[in-house]
Amino acid sequence: MSKEKTGFIIITYKLRLYSRHQDWLLLTKQMYHQVVWHYYQILIQETVLLEQSTFLLLRKLEELSIGTKEMRARGEDPPWELEKKWKVPLYFRRAAINTAIGLARNAAVRTEPIDCSPVFYKGIYREFSEDSIEMKLFNGEKWKWVKYSYTGRSIPKEGWKLSPTLKVEKDVAYLHVPVKLEVKDIRTVEERMEEEELLCAVAFPDSEVLAVCVILDREGKLKKVRFLHGGKRREAQRKRVLRRLEKSRKSRQGSGVYQGKESVEEGMENRRLFQKLVQINQYYAHKISREILTFCQEEQVRLIVVPNYKETIPLWEYRLNRIDFYRWQGRAMIRKLKYKSFREGILVTTVPPVHLSDCCSECSGKIRRYQEGKKASKMKYGGSLFVCPNGHRGNTALNTAKNIGRYFLRRFQKKEEVRMTDVSETE
Protein backbone atom coordinates (compact mmCIF):
# COMPACT_ATOMS: atom_id res chain seq x y z
CA MET A 1 0.00 0.00 0.00
CA SER A 2 1.41 3.40 -0.99
CA LYS A 3 2.36 5.83 1.73
CA GLU A 4 0.71 8.91 0.33
CA LYS A 5 1.66 12.36 1.61
CA THR A 6 -0.84 15.20 1.47
CA GLY A 7 -0.06 18.79 0.57
CA PHE A 8 -1.57 21.85 -1.06
CA ILE A 9 -1.61 23.60 -4.42
CA ILE A 10 -2.73 27.13 -5.28
CA ILE A 11 -4.61 27.57 -8.56
CA THR A 12 -5.67 31.00 -9.83
CA TYR A 13 -9.22 31.27 -11.19
CA LYS A 14 -10.00 34.09 -13.63
CA LEU A 15 -13.50 35.54 -13.12
CA ARG A 16 -15.00 38.16 -15.40
CA LEU A 17 -16.94 40.89 -13.62
CA TYR A 18 -20.07 42.26 -15.23
CA SER A 19 -19.46 45.88 -16.23
CA ARG A 20 -21.05 47.88 -13.47
CA HIS A 21 -19.46 51.11 -12.26
CA GLN A 22 -16.44 50.54 -14.48
CA ASP A 23 -15.25 54.05 -13.63
CA TRP A 24 -15.24 53.15 -9.93
CA LEU A 25 -13.00 50.17 -10.66
CA LEU A 26 -10.57 52.45 -12.50
CA LEU A 27 -10.64 55.03 -9.71
CA THR A 28 -9.96 52.30 -7.14
CA LYS A 29 -7.01 51.09 -9.20
CA GLN A 30 -5.64 54.64 -9.47
CA MET A 31 -6.02 55.07 -5.71
CA TYR A 32 -4.08 51.84 -5.15
CA HIS A 33 -1.27 53.15 -7.40
CA GLN A 34 -1.03 56.35 -5.37
CA VAL A 35 -0.94 54.56 -2.02
CA VAL A 36 1.66 52.03 -3.21
CA TRP A 37 3.76 54.86 -4.64
CA HIS A 38 3.52 56.77 -1.34
CA TYR A 39 4.90 53.84 0.67
CA TYR A 40 7.46 52.97 -1.97
CA GLN A 41 8.88 56.51 -1.65
CA ILE A 42 9.27 56.03 2.10
CA LEU A 43 11.14 52.75 1.60
CA ILE A 44 13.60 53.96 -1.03
CA GLN A 45 14.44 57.04 1.06
CA GLU A 46 14.69 55.18 4.36
CA THR A 47 16.26 51.90 3.19
CA VAL A 48 17.27 50.93 6.72
CA LEU A 49 13.62 50.06 7.32
CA LEU A 50 13.91 47.12 4.91
CA GLU A 51 16.14 45.30 7.39
CA GLN A 52 13.11 44.62 9.57
CA SER A 53 10.72 41.69 9.17
CA THR A 54 7.65 42.29 7.00
CA PHE A 55 5.34 42.33 10.03
CA LEU A 56 7.42 44.92 11.94
CA LEU A 57 7.98 46.94 8.75
CA LEU A 58 4.22 47.11 8.10
CA ARG A 59 3.62 48.42 11.61
CA LYS A 60 6.42 50.99 11.24
CA LEU A 61 5.09 52.25 7.90
CA GLU A 62 1.62 52.69 9.38
CA GLU A 63 3.15 54.64 12.25
CA LEU A 64 5.03 56.90 9.80
CA SER A 65 1.95 57.50 7.61
CA ILE A 66 -1.07 57.60 9.94
CA GLY A 67 0.60 58.16 13.31
CA THR A 68 -0.16 56.67 16.73
CA LYS A 69 -2.64 57.47 19.51
CA GLU A 70 0.13 59.22 21.46
CA MET A 71 1.04 61.41 18.46
CA ARG A 72 -2.58 62.35 17.92
CA ALA A 73 -2.96 63.19 21.65
CA ARG A 74 0.02 65.53 21.36
CA GLY A 75 -1.36 67.05 18.15
CA GLU A 76 1.61 65.82 16.07
CA ASP A 77 1.33 64.93 12.40
CA PRO A 78 3.07 61.77 11.14
CA PRO A 79 6.22 62.50 9.07
CA TRP A 80 4.90 60.72 5.95
CA GLU A 81 1.20 61.44 6.30
CA LEU A 82 -1.21 60.12 3.70
CA GLU A 83 -3.47 62.85 2.37
CA LYS A 84 -6.42 63.08 4.76
CA LYS A 85 -8.93 63.41 1.95
CA TRP A 86 -8.14 59.89 0.74
CA LYS A 87 -9.40 58.14 3.89
CA VAL A 88 -7.93 54.82 2.83
CA PRO A 89 -9.58 51.75 4.43
CA LEU A 90 -7.35 49.72 6.74
CA TYR A 91 -7.03 46.53 4.67
CA PHE A 92 -6.73 48.45 1.39
CA ARG A 93 -3.80 50.33 2.92
CA ARG A 94 -2.17 47.15 4.22
CA ALA A 95 -2.44 45.46 0.82
CA ALA A 96 -0.76 48.50 -0.77
CA ILE A 97 1.98 48.47 1.89
CA ASN A 98 2.76 44.79 1.23
CA THR A 99 2.92 45.49 -2.51
CA ALA A 100 5.31 48.41 -1.91
CA ILE A 101 7.52 46.27 0.34
CA GLY A 102 7.75 43.58 -2.33
CA LEU A 103 8.68 46.14 -5.00
CA ALA A 104 11.29 47.80 -2.79
CA ARG A 105 12.95 44.50 -1.92
CA ASN A 106 12.90 42.86 -5.33
CA ALA A 107 13.03 45.58 -7.98
CA ALA A 108 15.37 48.31 -9.15
CA VAL A 109 14.72 51.91 -8.11
CA ARG A 110 11.74 53.36 -9.98
CA THR A 111 11.43 56.98 -11.01
CA GLU A 112 7.76 57.08 -11.94
CA PRO A 113 4.44 56.01 -10.39
CA ILE A 114 3.95 52.25 -10.18
CA ASP A 115 1.33 50.48 -12.29
CA CYS A 116 0.04 47.53 -10.26
CA SER A 117 -3.23 45.75 -9.69
CA PRO A 118 -5.18 46.19 -6.42
CA VAL A 119 -5.21 43.23 -4.04
CA PHE A 120 -8.43 42.87 -2.05
CA TYR A 121 -7.90 41.61 1.51
CA LYS A 122 -10.83 40.42 3.58
CA GLY A 123 -12.41 43.57 4.92
CA ILE A 124 -12.58 45.24 1.49
CA TYR A 125 -14.50 42.33 -0.02
CA ARG A 126 -17.31 40.23 1.43
CA GLU A 127 -20.22 37.97 0.46
CA PHE A 128 -18.08 36.00 -2.01
CA SER A 129 -20.68 33.52 -3.30
CA GLU A 130 -20.81 31.14 -6.27
CA ASP A 131 -21.84 33.88 -8.71
CA SER A 132 -21.20 37.26 -7.05
CA ILE A 133 -18.89 39.25 -4.81
CA GLU A 134 -19.26 42.51 -2.91
CA MET A 135 -16.26 44.86 -2.99
CA LYS A 136 -15.45 48.21 -1.41
CA LEU A 137 -14.65 50.71 -4.18
CA PHE A 138 -13.64 54.36 -4.38
CA ASN A 139 -16.02 56.51 -6.45
CA GLY A 140 -13.88 59.66 -6.41
CA GLU A 141 -15.41 61.04 -3.23
CA LYS A 142 -15.94 58.17 -0.82
CA TRP A 143 -15.77 54.40 -0.46
CA LYS A 144 -18.90 52.37 -1.24
CA TRP A 145 -19.82 48.68 -1.22
CA VAL A 146 -20.74 47.41 -4.70
CA LYS A 147 -22.03 43.94 -5.55
CA TYR A 148 -20.74 42.39 -8.81
CA SER A 149 -21.93 39.28 -10.58
CA TYR A 150 -19.23 37.30 -12.35
CA THR A 151 -18.71 34.43 -14.78
CA GLY A 152 -15.87 31.94 -15.06
CA ARG A 153 -14.79 28.49 -13.97
CA SER A 154 -16.57 27.23 -10.88
CA ILE A 155 -14.39 27.43 -7.79
CA PRO A 156 -14.36 24.08 -5.92
CA LYS A 157 -16.35 24.22 -2.70
CA GLU A 158 -13.55 22.47 -0.82
CA GLY A 159 -11.04 25.17 -1.82
CA TRP A 160 -9.93 28.12 0.34
CA LYS A 161 -10.33 31.40 -1.53
CA LEU A 162 -7.38 33.74 -0.95
CA SER A 163 -7.16 37.50 -1.59
CA PRO A 164 -8.35 38.29 -5.15
CA THR A 165 -6.55 40.71 -7.45
CA LEU A 166 -8.44 43.19 -9.65
CA LYS A 167 -7.35 43.37 -13.31
CA VAL A 168 -8.87 46.14 -15.42
CA GLU A 169 -8.32 45.78 -19.19
CA LYS A 170 -9.91 48.59 -21.22
CA ASP A 171 -13.67 48.01 -20.87
CA VAL A 172 -13.35 44.61 -19.19
CA ALA A 173 -12.60 43.80 -15.55
CA TYR A 174 -11.47 40.49 -14.07
CA LEU A 175 -10.78 39.08 -10.64
CA HIS A 176 -7.81 36.71 -10.37
CA VAL A 177 -8.65 34.55 -7.36
CA PRO A 178 -5.97 32.25 -5.88
CA VAL A 179 -7.61 29.13 -4.48
CA LYS A 180 -5.80 26.78 -2.09
CA LEU A 181 -6.69 23.14 -2.72
CA GLU A 182 -5.60 19.98 -0.97
CA VAL A 183 -3.47 17.49 -2.92
CA LYS A 184 -3.80 13.94 -1.66
CA ASP A 185 -0.44 12.69 -2.92
CA ILE A 186 2.72 14.82 -3.17
CA ARG A 187 5.29 12.01 -3.15
CA THR A 188 8.43 12.59 -5.22
CA VAL A 189 9.33 10.56 -8.32
CA GLU A 190 11.78 8.47 -6.28
CA GLU A 191 9.17 7.74 -3.62
CA ARG A 192 6.61 6.73 -6.21
CA MET A 193 9.04 4.45 -8.05
CA GLU A 194 9.67 2.58 -4.79
CA GLU A 195 5.96 1.79 -4.43
CA GLU A 196 4.17 2.09 -7.79
CA GLU A 197 4.20 -0.73 -10.34
CA LEU A 198 3.09 1.19 -13.44
CA LEU A 199 3.87 4.42 -15.29
CA CYS A 200 2.36 6.17 -18.30
CA ALA A 201 4.61 7.51 -21.08
CA VAL A 202 3.13 10.00 -23.57
CA ALA A 203 4.26 11.07 -27.05
CA PHE A 204 2.80 14.04 -28.95
CA PRO A 205 2.85 13.45 -32.73
CA ASP A 206 1.65 16.17 -35.10
CA SER A 207 -0.98 14.17 -36.98
CA GLU A 208 -4.55 12.95 -36.64
CA VAL A 209 -3.30 11.38 -33.40
CA LEU A 210 -2.47 14.20 -30.98
CA ALA A 211 -1.13 11.99 -28.18
CA VAL A 212 -0.18 8.36 -27.65
CA CYS A 213 -0.25 6.96 -24.11
CA VAL A 214 1.40 3.69 -23.14
CA ILE A 215 1.25 1.99 -19.74
CA LEU A 216 4.50 0.23 -18.83
CA ASP A 217 5.43 -1.82 -15.78
CA ARG A 218 8.72 -1.43 -13.90
CA GLU A 219 10.38 -3.89 -16.31
CA GLY A 220 9.35 -1.84 -19.34
CA LYS A 221 6.73 -4.31 -20.54
CA LEU A 222 3.80 -2.83 -22.43
CA LYS A 223 0.50 -3.18 -20.59
CA LYS A 224 -1.94 -0.90 -22.39
CA VAL A 225 -2.08 1.67 -25.22
CA ARG A 226 -4.42 4.54 -25.99
CA PHE A 227 -4.39 6.80 -29.07
CA LEU A 228 -6.01 10.22 -28.59
CA HIS A 229 -7.40 11.60 -31.84
CA GLY A 230 -8.60 14.98 -33.04
CA GLY A 231 -5.82 16.27 -35.31
CA LYS A 232 -7.86 16.30 -38.53
CA ARG A 233 -10.71 18.20 -36.96
CA ARG A 234 -8.27 20.69 -35.40
CA GLU A 235 -6.54 21.19 -38.78
CA ALA A 236 -9.87 21.82 -40.51
CA GLN A 237 -10.70 24.53 -37.97
CA ARG A 238 -7.25 26.08 -38.29
CA LYS A 239 -7.32 26.10 -42.09
CA ARG A 240 -10.63 27.94 -42.19
CA VAL A 241 -9.10 30.72 -40.11
CA LEU A 242 -5.82 30.73 -42.07
CA ARG A 243 -7.71 30.99 -45.39
CA ARG A 244 -9.47 34.10 -44.12
CA LEU A 245 -6.15 35.62 -43.06
CA GLU A 246 -4.63 34.83 -46.45
CA LYS A 247 -7.67 36.25 -48.25
CA SER A 248 -7.33 39.48 -46.24
CA ARG A 249 -3.64 39.75 -47.12
CA LYS A 250 -4.23 39.20 -50.86
CA SER A 251 -7.10 41.69 -50.99
CA ARG A 252 -4.83 44.40 -49.56
CA GLN A 253 -2.06 43.51 -52.00
CA GLY A 254 -4.47 43.51 -54.93
CA SER A 255 -5.81 46.93 -54.05
CA GLY A 256 -2.41 48.46 -54.72
CA VAL A 257 -2.24 50.13 -51.31
CA TYR A 258 -0.52 47.29 -49.46
CA GLN A 259 2.71 48.49 -47.88
CA GLY A 260 2.83 46.38 -44.75
CA LYS A 261 0.11 48.50 -43.16
CA GLU A 262 -3.56 47.87 -42.52
CA SER A 263 -6.61 49.90 -41.65
CA VAL A 264 -8.02 49.95 -38.14
CA GLU A 265 -10.88 47.65 -39.19
CA GLU A 266 -8.54 45.20 -40.93
CA GLY A 267 -6.21 45.23 -37.94
CA MET A 268 -9.04 44.42 -35.54
CA GLU A 269 -10.29 41.62 -37.82
CA ASN A 270 -6.82 40.08 -38.16
CA ARG A 271 -6.24 40.24 -34.41
CA ARG A 272 -9.59 38.54 -33.92
CA LEU A 273 -8.59 35.77 -36.34
CA PHE A 274 -5.22 35.23 -34.66
CA GLN A 275 -7.04 35.09 -31.32
CA LYS A 276 -9.29 32.44 -32.85
CA LEU A 277 -6.19 30.34 -33.65
CA VAL A 278 -5.05 30.70 -30.05
CA GLN A 279 -8.49 29.62 -28.80
CA ILE A 280 -8.45 26.54 -31.04
CA ASN A 281 -5.06 25.57 -29.65
CA GLN A 282 -6.18 26.19 -26.07
CA TYR A 283 -9.24 24.00 -26.57
CA TYR A 284 -7.27 21.01 -27.87
CA ALA A 285 -4.48 21.45 -25.31
CA HIS A 286 -7.08 21.29 -22.52
CA LYS A 287 -9.01 18.47 -24.20
CA ILE A 288 -6.03 16.15 -24.79
CA SER A 289 -4.40 16.83 -21.41
CA ARG A 290 -7.70 16.00 -19.70
CA GLU A 291 -8.04 12.75 -21.73
CA ILE A 292 -4.49 11.72 -20.76
CA LEU A 293 -5.28 12.35 -17.10
CA THR A 294 -8.57 10.41 -17.32
CA PHE A 295 -6.76 7.46 -18.90
CA CYS A 296 -4.22 7.41 -16.06
CA GLN A 297 -6.97 7.60 -13.44
CA GLU A 298 -8.81 4.70 -15.09
CA GLU A 299 -5.62 2.59 -15.02
CA GLN A 300 -4.64 3.78 -11.51
CA VAL A 301 -1.31 5.17 -12.72
CA ARG A 302 0.27 7.85 -10.52
CA LEU A 303 3.34 8.78 -12.61
CA ILE A 304 3.42 10.25 -16.14
CA VAL A 305 6.58 10.61 -18.26
CA VAL A 306 6.79 13.14 -21.13
CA PRO A 307 9.61 14.66 -23.22
CA ASN A 308 11.23 17.78 -21.78
CA TYR A 309 10.69 20.17 -24.69
CA LYS A 310 12.02 23.07 -22.62
CA GLU A 311 15.49 21.77 -23.35
CA THR A 312 17.36 23.09 -26.39
CA ILE A 313 16.12 21.62 -29.67
CA PRO A 314 18.49 21.69 -32.69
CA LEU A 315 17.56 23.96 -35.56
CA TRP A 316 17.23 21.01 -37.91
CA GLU A 317 14.24 19.76 -35.89
CA TYR A 318 11.94 21.35 -38.46
CA ARG A 319 8.66 20.19 -36.98
CA LEU A 320 9.44 21.72 -33.57
CA ASN A 321 10.87 25.02 -34.85
CA ARG A 322 8.60 25.85 -37.75
CA ILE A 323 7.33 29.39 -38.26
CA ASP A 324 3.75 28.14 -37.98
CA PHE A 325 3.88 28.00 -34.18
CA TYR A 326 0.09 27.81 -34.03
CA ARG A 327 0.18 24.18 -35.10
CA TRP A 328 2.34 21.90 -32.93
CA GLN A 329 0.96 21.81 -29.39
CA GLY A 330 3.10 19.36 -27.44
CA ARG A 331 4.45 21.99 -25.05
CA ALA A 332 1.00 23.46 -24.33
CA MET A 333 -0.45 20.00 -23.66
CA ILE A 334 2.39 19.18 -21.26
CA ARG A 335 1.97 22.47 -19.36
CA LYS A 336 -1.75 21.85 -18.90
CA LEU A 337 -1.18 18.19 -18.04
CA LYS A 338 1.28 19.09 -15.26
CA TYR A 339 -1.07 21.27 -13.23
CA LYS A 340 -4.17 19.15 -13.90
CA SER A 341 -2.34 15.99 -12.82
CA PHE A 342 -0.74 17.42 -9.69
CA ARG A 343 -4.17 18.54 -8.49
CA GLU A 344 -5.25 14.86 -8.71
CA GLY A 345 -2.15 13.51 -6.96
CA ILE A 346 -0.48 12.35 -10.21
CA LEU A 347 3.06 13.55 -10.93
CA VAL A 348 4.47 14.45 -14.35
CA THR A 349 8.21 13.97 -14.88
CA THR A 350 10.35 14.42 -18.00
CA VAL A 351 13.17 12.90 -20.04
CA PRO A 352 15.44 14.71 -22.56
CA PRO A 353 13.98 14.71 -26.11
CA VAL A 354 17.03 12.93 -27.57
CA HIS A 355 16.73 9.92 -29.94
CA LEU A 356 13.18 9.24 -28.82
CA SER A 357 11.68 9.13 -32.31
CA ASP A 358 14.52 7.81 -34.50
CA CYS A 359 15.41 4.59 -32.64
CA CYS A 360 13.57 1.30 -32.28
CA SER A 361 12.12 0.82 -28.81
CA GLU A 362 12.90 -2.92 -28.94
CA CYS A 363 16.52 -2.99 -30.11
CA SER A 364 17.64 0.69 -30.28
CA GLY A 365 18.44 0.37 -33.99
CA LYS A 366 17.95 3.35 -36.29
CA ILE A 367 14.50 3.23 -37.83
CA ARG A 368 13.28 3.99 -41.36
CA ARG A 369 9.87 5.57 -41.79
CA TYR A 370 7.24 4.96 -44.44
CA GLN A 371 3.57 5.31 -45.23
CA GLU A 372 1.33 2.37 -45.99
CA GLY A 373 2.10 1.11 -49.52
CA LYS A 374 5.34 3.12 -49.86
CA LYS A 375 9.03 2.38 -49.38
CA ALA A 376 10.78 3.08 -46.09
CA SER A 377 13.35 5.90 -45.96
CA LYS A 378 15.64 7.56 -43.41
CA MET A 379 13.54 10.73 -43.25
CA LYS A 380 12.97 11.95 -39.70
CA TYR A 381 9.33 12.97 -40.19
CA GLY A 382 6.39 12.15 -42.41
CA GLY A 383 5.99 8.40 -42.01
CA SER A 384 3.42 6.94 -39.64
CA LEU A 385 5.00 3.45 -39.84
CA PHE A 386 8.58 2.26 -39.30
CA VAL A 387 10.92 -0.65 -39.79
CA CYS A 388 14.30 -1.17 -38.08
CA PRO A 389 17.39 -3.16 -39.24
CA ASN A 390 16.34 -6.10 -37.04
CA GLY A 391 12.90 -6.33 -38.61
CA HIS A 392 10.81 -4.69 -35.89
CA ARG A 393 7.85 -2.82 -37.36
CA GLY A 394 5.00 -0.71 -36.10
CA ASN A 395 3.52 2.73 -35.52
CA THR A 396 6.12 5.52 -35.16
CA ALA A 397 4.18 7.46 -32.51
CA LEU A 398 3.66 4.32 -30.44
CA ASN A 399 7.38 3.54 -30.79
CA THR A 400 8.24 7.05 -29.52
CA ALA A 401 5.96 6.70 -26.51
CA LYS A 402 7.58 3.36 -25.58
CA ASN A 403 11.04 4.94 -25.97
CA ILE A 404 10.06 7.73 -23.57
CA GLY A 405 8.96 5.31 -20.86
CA ARG A 406 11.85 2.88 -21.27
CA TYR A 407 14.43 5.66 -21.39
CA PHE A 408 13.06 6.95 -18.08
CA LEU A 409 13.23 3.45 -16.55
CA ARG A 410 16.84 2.99 -17.69
CA ARG A 411 17.87 6.32 -16.18
CA PHE A 412 16.07 5.57 -12.94
CA GLN A 413 17.64 2.10 -12.69
CA LYS A 414 21.11 3.61 -13.15
CA LYS A 415 20.43 6.08 -10.33
CA GLU A 416 19.30 3.17 -8.14
CA GLU A 417 22.52 1.27 -8.93
CA VAL A 418 24.64 4.28 -8.02
CA ARG A 419 22.68 4.78 -4.79
CA MET A 420 23.04 1.12 -3.82
CA THR A 421 26.79 1.29 -4.55
CA ASP A 422 27.14 4.34 -2.31
CA VAL A 423 25.27 2.58 0.50
CA SER A 424 27.48 -0.53 0.19
CA GLU A 425 30.68 1.54 0.32
CA THR A 426 29.40 3.36 3.39
CA GLU A 427 28.62 0.11 5.17
Side-chain angles (χ1 to χ4, degrees):
M1 183 177 179
S2 64
K3 302 174 183 177
E4 296 182 355
K5 297 191 300 184
T6 60
F8 294 92
I9 186 175
I10 294 178
I11 299 177
T12 300
Y13 287 72
K14 186 177 181 180
L15 310 177
R16 179 170 178 172
L17 299 175
Y18 283 110
S19 295
R20 182 186 180 198
H21 297 302
Q22 185 78 6
D23 55 334
W24 292 12
L25 294 172
L26 289 170
L27 287 168
T28 303
K29 182 179 179 180
Q30 291 168 10
M31 172 66 75
Y32 195 77
H33 293 173
Q34 293 178 50
V35 179
V36 170
W37 181 246
H38 180 84
Y39 286 107
Y40 180 76
Q41 290 295 310
I42 300 175
L43 292 169
I44 62 172
Q45 293 188 42
E46 300 189 28
T47 54
V48 68
L49 295 174
L50 292 169
E51 297 175 6
Q52 302 181 52
S53 68
T54 300
F55 175 77
L56 293 176
L57 180 52
L58 186 146
R59 297 294 298 271
K60 182 62 178 177
L61 289 172
E62 288 191 325
E63 180 182 320
L64 292 172
S65 60
I66 63 174
T68 62
K69 291 182 179 179
E70 292 77 12
M71 292 173 65
R72 287 192 289 272
R74 294 193 299 266
E76 296 179 9
D77 292 328
W80 288 86
E81 185 177 17
L82 280 171
E83 291 188 36
K84 294 179 181 179
K85 63 180 181 181
W86 289 354
K87 296 181 181 177
V88 179
L90 169 64
Y91 291 105
F92 188 89
R93 181 179 67 245
R94 289 187 173 175
I97 290 175
N98 282 325
T99 299
I101 292 172
L103 291 168
R105 282 179 169 164
N106 302 317
V109 175
R110 300 167 184 265
T111 58
E112 57 186 24
I114 298 164
D115 184 10
C116 51
S117 299
V119 180
F120 283 73
Y121 287 179
K122 280 188 176 179
I124 49 176
Y125 80 88
R126 65 188 183 188
E127 302 297 330
F128 199 164
S129 67
E130 294 181 358
D131 57 4
S132 65
I133 183 174
E134 197 169 355
M135 300 187 296
K136 203 168 190 178
L137 302 178
F138 185 62
N139 66 2
E141 297 179 357
K142 59 183 179 180
W143 294 83
K144 294 193 67 174
W145 286 101
V146 183
K147 187 174 183 179
Y148 281 88
S149 298
Y150 64 78
T151 57
R153 283 195 301 158
S154 297
I155 297 176
K157 293 182 179 179
E158 67 273 16
W160 292 276
K161 293 189 285 287
L162 305 179
S163 300
T165 299
L166 174 65
K167 302 283 186 178
V168 183
E169 304 171 6
K170 295 183 179 179
D171 296 331
V172 183
Y174 297 93
L175 277 185
H176 289 198
V177 185
V179 179
K180 187 176 181 180
L181 299 162
E182 184 181 25
V183 178
K184 295 180 180 179
D185 189 358
I186 60 168
R187 290 175 298 155
T188 64
V189 172
E190 288 74 16
E191 290 171 333
R192 290 168 195 257
M193 286 300 293
E194 290 177 359
E195 302 169 1
E196 302 292 341
E197 295 298 323
L198 301 174
L199 63 85
C200 177
V202 188
F204 300 90
D206 185 22
S207 64
E208 157 59 10
V209 176
L210 294 177
V212 180
C213 308
V214 296
I215 305 294
L216 303 175
D217 64 14
R218 293 172 64 90
E219 304 301 319
K221 294 180 181 178
L222 183 64
K223 295 297 183 181
K224 197 161 187 178
V225 178
R226 180 163 296 180
F227 290 81
L228 303 180
H229 299 264
K232 288 183 179 178
R233 183 180 177 187
R234 182 203 64 180
E235 282 304 290
Q237 294 172 344
R238 286 183 63 258
K239 286 179 180 178
R240 284 196 292 269
V241 178
L242 291 172
R243 279 197 295 268
R244 293 176 65 181
L245 282 167
E246 181 64 14
K247 183 178 179 181
S248 174
R249 184 183 67 82
K250 287 183 177 180
S251 66
R252 285 184 285 123
Q253 287 179 326
S255 66
V257 298
Y258 178 75
Q259 294 182 1
K261 298 180 180 180
E262 56 191 11
S263 68
V264 174
E265 292 79 9
E266 289 172 333
M268 291 178 63
E269 175 64 11
N270 287 342
R271 283 193 292 273
R272 191 185 68 80
L273 291 172
F274 276 111
Q275 183 61 33
K276 182 66 174 176
L277 286 177
V278 172
Q279 290 170 352
I280 292 171
N281 283 353
Q282 289 288 328
Y283 170 78
Y284 283 96
H286 278 292
K287 177 178 182 291
I288 298 301
S289 61
R290 172 51 62 184
E291 289 179 6
I292 295 169
L293 177 57
T294 301
F295 176 58
C296 292
Q297 290 174 317
E298 291 172 355
E299 301 301 319
Q300 297 184 341
V301 174
R302 312 300 291 273
L303 183 63
I304 302 173
V305 185
V306 297
N308 181 10
Y309 289 122
K310 289 184 178 180
E311 294 190 2
T312 302
I313 300 173
L315 293 175
W316 43 261
E317 293 277 11
Y318 168 73
R319 191 66 66 94
L320 303 181
N321 289 275
R322 60 187 301 159
I323 295 174
D324 183 9
F325 61 91
Y326 290 98
R327 177 169 178 162
W328 189 75
Q329 293 180 263
R331 288 184 183 86
M333 292 176 184
I334 291 170
R335 285 196 300 271
K336 306 239 177 336
L337 179 62
K338 282 183 176 180
Y339 81 78
K340 290 178 191 289
S341 299
F342 188 75
R343 169 72 180 90
E344 301 298 329
I346 299 174
L347 197 62
V348 177
T349 188
T350 61
V351 295
V354 180
H355 299 303
L356 297 177
S357 60
D358 60 356
C359 295
C360 176
S361 59
E362 302 298 329
C363 64
S364 300
K366 290 289 183 180
I367 66 172
R368 291 186 297 164
R369 294 169 178 267
Y370 66 97
Q371 294 287 16
E372 187 71 35
K374 295 185 179 181
K375 291 184 178 181
S377 69
K378 294 182 180 180
M379 63 181 177
K380 292 190 71 65
Y381 297 105
S384 61
L385 303 174
F386 80 94
V387 61
C388 81
N390 294 316
H392 299 118
R393 297 173 179 270
N395 181 279
T396 54
L398 176 58
N399 180 70
T400 300
K402 290 192 289 185
N403 271 333
I404 291 168
R406 289 170 182 170
Y407 181 52
F408 167 78
L409 288 169
R410 287 196 299 271
R411 290 184 72 190
F412 183 80
Q413 288 164 0
K414 286 181 180 179
K415 289 181 181 178
E416 283 291 290
E417 291 173 4
V418 172
R419 189 175 67 83
M420 291 302 294
T421 302
D422 292 341
V423 170
S424 299
E425 291 176 353
T426 303
E427 293 175 349

